[in-house]
mmCIF file of all heavy atoms in Angstrom:
data_model
loop_
_atom_site.group_PDB
_atom_site.id
_atom_site.type_symbol
_atom_site.label_atom_id
_atom_site.label_comp_id
_atom_site.label_asym_id
_atom_site.label_seq_id
_atom_site.Cartn_x
_atom_site.Cartn_y
_atom_site.Cartn_z
ATOM 1 N N SER A 1 7.502 40.797 19.484
ATOM 2 C CA SER A 1 7.117 40.660 20.884
ATOM 3 C C SER A 1 5.819 41.376 21.230
ATOM 4 O O SER A 1 5.306 41.196 22.318
ATOM 5 C CB SER A 1 8.236 41.188 21.781
ATOM 6 O OG SER A 1 8.380 42.574 21.607
ATOM 7 N N MET A 2 5.280 42.169 20.344
ATOM 8 C CA MET A 2 4.095 42.936 20.704
ATOM 9 C C MET A 2 2.866 42.053 20.917
ATOM 10 O O MET A 2 2.087 42.297 21.799
ATOM 11 C CB MET A 2 3.832 44.020 19.664
ATOM 12 C CG MET A 2 4.856 45.113 19.743
ATOM 13 S SD MET A 2 4.429 46.492 18.715
ATOM 14 C CE MET A 2 5.846 47.507 18.964
ATOM 15 N N HIS A 3 2.662 41.065 20.117
ATOM 16 C CA HIS A 3 1.555 40.106 20.251
ATOM 17 C C HIS A 3 0.200 40.778 20.445
ATOM 18 O O HIS A 3 -0.679 40.233 21.084
ATOM 19 C CB HIS A 3 1.807 39.141 21.415
ATOM 20 C CG HIS A 3 3.033 38.323 21.254
ATOM 21 N ND1 HIS A 3 3.207 37.423 20.233
ATOM 22 C CD2 HIS A 3 4.174 38.284 21.988
ATOM 23 C CE1 HIS A 3 4.387 36.847 20.342
ATOM 24 N NE2 HIS A 3 5.003 37.353 21.396
ATOM 25 N N ASN A 4 0.036 41.982 19.951
ATOM 26 C CA ASN A 4 -1.225 42.694 20.102
ATOM 27 C C ASN A 4 -2.066 42.647 18.840
ATOM 28 O O ASN A 4 -3.099 43.278 18.782
ATOM 29 C CB ASN A 4 -0.963 44.167 20.465
ATOM 30 C CG ASN A 4 -0.375 44.296 21.843
ATOM 31 O OD1 ASN A 4 -0.625 43.466 22.694
ATOM 32 N ND2 ASN A 4 0.397 45.334 22.056
ATOM 33 N N SER A 5 -1.635 41.929 17.848
ATOM 34 C CA SER A 5 -2.326 41.948 16.573
ATOM 35 C C SER A 5 -2.405 40.537 16.004
ATOM 36 O O SER A 5 -1.574 39.689 16.294
ATOM 37 C CB SER A 5 -1.559 42.851 15.613
ATOM 38 O OG SER A 5 -2.070 42.725 14.323
ATOM 39 N N ALA A 6 -3.406 40.338 15.182
ATOM 40 C CA ALA A 6 -3.521 39.052 14.496
ATOM 41 C C ALA A 6 -2.753 39.080 13.181
ATOM 42 O O ALA A 6 -2.739 38.105 12.452
ATOM 43 C CB ALA A 6 -4.993 38.733 14.234
ATOM 44 N N ALA A 7 -2.107 40.195 12.875
ATOM 45 C CA ALA A 7 -1.367 40.332 11.616
ATOM 46 C C ALA A 7 -0.078 39.525 11.676
ATOM 47 O O ALA A 7 0.575 39.444 12.708
ATOM 48 C CB ALA A 7 -1.044 41.803 11.364
ATOM 49 N N ASP A 8 0.270 38.929 10.551
ATOM 50 C CA ASP A 8 1.530 38.194 10.437
ATOM 51 C C ASP A 8 2.585 39.124 9.862
ATOM 52 O O ASP A 8 2.334 39.880 8.930
ATOM 53 C CB ASP A 8 1.368 36.979 9.505
ATOM 54 C CG ASP A 8 0.437 35.938 10.095
ATOM 55 O OD1 ASP A 8 0.435 35.784 11.327
ATOM 56 O OD2 ASP A 8 -0.291 35.294 9.315
ATOM 57 N N PHE A 9 3.780 39.047 10.416
ATOM 58 C CA PHE A 9 4.895 39.840 9.911
ATOM 59 C C PHE A 9 5.353 39.273 8.579
ATOM 60 O O PHE A 9 5.588 38.077 8.453
ATOM 61 C CB PHE A 9 6.051 39.826 10.910
ATOM 62 C CG PHE A 9 7.258 40.556 10.410
ATOM 63 C CD1 PHE A 9 7.324 41.934 10.497
ATOM 64 C CD2 PHE A 9 8.308 39.893 9.821
ATOM 65 C CE1 PHE A 9 8.429 42.623 10.033
ATOM 66 C CE2 PHE A 9 9.416 40.557 9.353
ATOM 67 C CZ PHE A 9 9.472 41.931 9.457
ATOM 68 N N MET A 10 5.467 40.127 7.564
ATOM 69 C CA MET A 10 5.985 39.730 6.252
ATOM 70 C C MET A 10 7.153 40.641 5.916
ATOM 71 O O MET A 10 7.107 41.842 6.176
ATOM 72 C CB MET A 10 4.894 39.847 5.197
ATOM 73 C CG MET A 10 3.735 38.914 5.447
ATOM 74 S SD MET A 10 2.540 39.024 4.137
ATOM 75 C CE MET A 10 1.242 38.043 4.817
ATOM 76 N N ALA A 11 8.192 40.077 5.354
ATOM 77 C CA ALA A 11 9.439 40.808 5.113
ATOM 78 C C ALA A 11 9.230 42.076 4.286
ATOM 79 O O ALA A 11 9.834 43.102 4.561
ATOM 80 C CB ALA A 11 10.457 39.897 4.447
ATOM 81 N N HIS A 12 8.350 42.029 3.272
ATOM 82 C CA HIS A 12 8.170 43.209 2.421
ATOM 83 C C HIS A 12 7.550 44.372 3.192
ATOM 84 O O HIS A 12 7.690 45.525 2.797
ATOM 85 C CB HIS A 12 7.326 42.869 1.175
ATOM 86 C CG HIS A 12 5.864 42.696 1.453
ATOM 87 N ND1 HIS A 12 5.327 41.494 1.853
ATOM 88 C CD2 HIS A 12 4.838 43.573 1.395
ATOM 89 C CE1 HIS A 12 4.025 41.636 2.023
ATOM 90 N NE2 HIS A 12 3.699 42.887 1.752
ATOM 91 N N GLN A 13 6.883 44.091 4.312
ATOM 92 C CA GLN A 13 6.282 45.161 5.105
ATOM 93 C C GLN A 13 7.324 45.899 5.951
ATOM 94 O O GLN A 13 7.049 46.962 6.476
ATOM 95 C CB GLN A 13 5.186 44.592 6.013
ATOM 96 C CG GLN A 13 4.002 44.070 5.230
ATOM 97 C CD GLN A 13 3.019 43.310 6.101
ATOM 98 O OE1 GLN A 13 3.373 42.778 7.144
ATOM 99 N NE2 GLN A 13 1.778 43.256 5.651
ATOM 100 N N PHE A 14 8.495 45.340 6.084
ATOM 101 C CA PHE A 14 9.546 45.971 6.880
ATOM 102 C C PHE A 14 10.388 46.938 6.041
ATOM 103 O O PHE A 14 11.054 47.812 6.582
ATOM 104 C CB PHE A 14 10.437 44.892 7.506
ATOM 105 C CG PHE A 14 11.316 45.392 8.590
ATOM 106 C CD1 PHE A 14 10.786 45.834 9.788
ATOM 107 C CD2 PHE A 14 12.680 45.435 8.430
ATOM 108 C CE1 PHE A 14 11.597 46.302 10.800
ATOM 109 C CE2 PHE A 14 13.506 45.903 9.427
ATOM 110 C CZ PHE A 14 12.960 46.337 10.616
ATOM 111 N N LYS A 15 10.337 46.815 4.706
ATOM 112 C CA LYS A 15 11.127 47.693 3.831
ATOM 113 C C LYS A 15 10.825 49.176 4.031
ATOM 114 O O LYS A 15 11.743 49.989 4.092
ATOM 115 C CB LYS A 15 10.945 47.294 2.369
ATOM 116 C CG LYS A 15 11.661 46.009 2.013
ATOM 117 C CD LYS A 15 11.476 45.660 0.558
ATOM 118 C CE LYS A 15 12.166 44.356 0.234
ATOM 119 N NZ LYS A 15 11.988 43.981 -1.165
ATOM 120 N N PRO A 16 9.540 49.594 4.158
ATOM 121 C CA PRO A 16 9.279 51.013 4.399
ATOM 122 C C PRO A 16 9.869 51.506 5.727
ATOM 123 O O PRO A 16 10.272 52.653 5.841
ATOM 124 C CB PRO A 16 7.756 51.117 4.417
ATOM 125 C CG PRO A 16 7.290 49.947 3.642
ATOM 126 C CD PRO A 16 8.292 48.866 3.888
ATOM 127 N N VAL A 17 9.941 50.635 6.729
ATOM 128 C CA VAL A 17 10.549 51.012 8.008
ATOM 129 C C VAL A 17 12.013 51.369 7.788
ATOM 130 O O VAL A 17 12.501 52.393 8.272
ATOM 131 C CB VAL A 17 10.421 49.874 9.044
ATOM 132 C CG1 VAL A 17 11.136 50.236 10.331
ATOM 133 C CG2 VAL A 17 8.967 49.549 9.309
ATOM 134 N N MET A 18 12.708 50.535 7.027
ATOM 135 C CA MET A 18 14.126 50.777 6.755
ATOM 136 C C MET A 18 14.297 52.068 5.950
ATOM 137 O O MET A 18 15.194 52.866 6.228
ATOM 138 C CB MET A 18 14.744 49.604 5.999
ATOM 139 C CG MET A 18 14.628 48.272 6.729
ATOM 140 S SD MET A 18 15.258 48.325 8.397
ATOM 141 C CE MET A 18 16.972 48.491 8.068
ATOM 142 N N LYS A 19 13.420 52.291 4.964
ATOM 143 C CA LYS A 19 13.502 53.530 4.173
ATOM 144 C C LYS A 19 13.258 54.754 5.052
ATOM 145 O O LYS A 19 13.919 55.770 4.904
ATOM 146 C CB LYS A 19 12.494 53.508 3.023
ATOM 147 C CG LYS A 19 12.928 52.663 1.870
ATOM 148 C CD LYS A 19 11.969 52.819 0.706
ATOM 149 C CE LYS A 19 12.442 51.995 -0.470
ATOM 150 N NZ LYS A 19 11.587 52.177 -1.636
ATOM 151 N N PHE A 20 12.297 54.643 5.985
ATOM 152 C CA PHE A 20 11.996 55.763 6.880
ATOM 153 C C PHE A 20 13.179 56.065 7.791
ATOM 154 O O PHE A 20 13.551 57.219 7.988
ATOM 155 C CB PHE A 20 10.752 55.452 7.714
ATOM 156 C CG PHE A 20 10.391 56.558 8.661
ATOM 157 C CD1 PHE A 20 9.804 57.715 8.199
ATOM 158 C CD2 PHE A 20 10.648 56.438 10.012
ATOM 159 C CE1 PHE A 20 9.474 58.739 9.062
ATOM 160 C CE2 PHE A 20 10.327 57.457 10.883
ATOM 161 C CZ PHE A 20 9.738 58.610 10.413
ATOM 162 N N ILE A 21 13.799 55.039 8.346
ATOM 163 C CA ILE A 21 14.949 55.224 9.239
ATOM 164 C C ILE A 21 16.099 55.890 8.494
ATOM 165 O O ILE A 21 16.781 56.766 9.025
ATOM 166 C CB ILE A 21 15.395 53.873 9.838
ATOM 167 C CG1 ILE A 21 14.355 53.383 10.853
ATOM 168 C CG2 ILE A 21 16.762 53.988 10.501
ATOM 169 C CD1 ILE A 21 14.588 51.988 11.337
ATOM 170 N N GLU A 22 16.303 55.511 7.248
ATOM 171 C CA GLU A 22 17.426 56.039 6.475
ATOM 172 C C GLU A 22 17.090 57.353 5.766
ATOM 173 O O GLU A 22 17.975 57.983 5.202
ATOM 174 C CB GLU A 22 17.875 54.993 5.453
ATOM 175 C CG GLU A 22 18.462 53.757 6.124
ATOM 176 C CD GLU A 22 18.647 52.595 5.176
ATOM 177 O OE1 GLU A 22 18.193 52.667 4.020
ATOM 178 O OE2 GLU A 22 19.241 51.603 5.608
ATOM 179 N N SER A 23 15.826 57.778 5.823
ATOM 180 C CA SER A 23 15.442 58.993 5.104
ATOM 181 C C SER A 23 16.020 60.228 5.778
ATOM 182 O O SER A 23 16.115 60.310 6.993
ATOM 183 C CB SER A 23 13.920 59.087 5.011
ATOM 184 O OG SER A 23 13.399 60.025 5.878
ATOM 185 N N THR A 24 16.416 61.179 4.974
ATOM 186 C CA THR A 24 16.967 62.417 5.514
ATOM 187 C C THR A 24 15.872 63.424 5.840
ATOM 188 O O THR A 24 16.093 64.336 6.618
ATOM 189 C CB THR A 24 17.945 63.061 4.512
ATOM 190 O OG1 THR A 24 17.274 63.267 3.283
ATOM 191 C CG2 THR A 24 19.148 62.167 4.307
ATOM 192 N N THR A 25 14.695 63.261 5.249
ATOM 193 C CA THR A 25 13.610 64.218 5.467
ATOM 194 C C THR A 25 12.676 63.806 6.588
ATOM 195 O O THR A 25 11.912 64.628 7.079
ATOM 196 C CB THR A 25 12.769 64.377 4.183
ATOM 197 O OG1 THR A 25 12.173 63.117 3.863
ATOM 198 C CG2 THR A 25 13.609 64.881 3.043
ATOM 199 N N GLY A 26 12.689 62.540 6.986
ATOM 200 C CA GLY A 26 11.758 62.072 8.006
ATOM 201 C C GLY A 26 10.353 61.885 7.482
ATOM 202 O O GLY A 26 9.394 61.859 8.234
#
């Protein structure tokens, strides 16, 4: 919904987000 970028969302780019959310160290 941000629509502020010309970048296309790709599934592999979301993996670090999931790792960050699940990380215990932040």
Side-chain angles (χ1 to χ4, degrees):
S1 66
M2 289 189 183
H3 299 297
N4 292 331
S5 171
D8 293 326
F9 177 81
M10 297 183 188
H12 75 274
Q13 293 171 335
F14 194 67
K15 287 181 182 179
V17 176
M18 302 307 290
K19 283 187 178 183
F20 180 75
I21 289 171
E22 294 168 352
S23 105
T24 56
T25 62

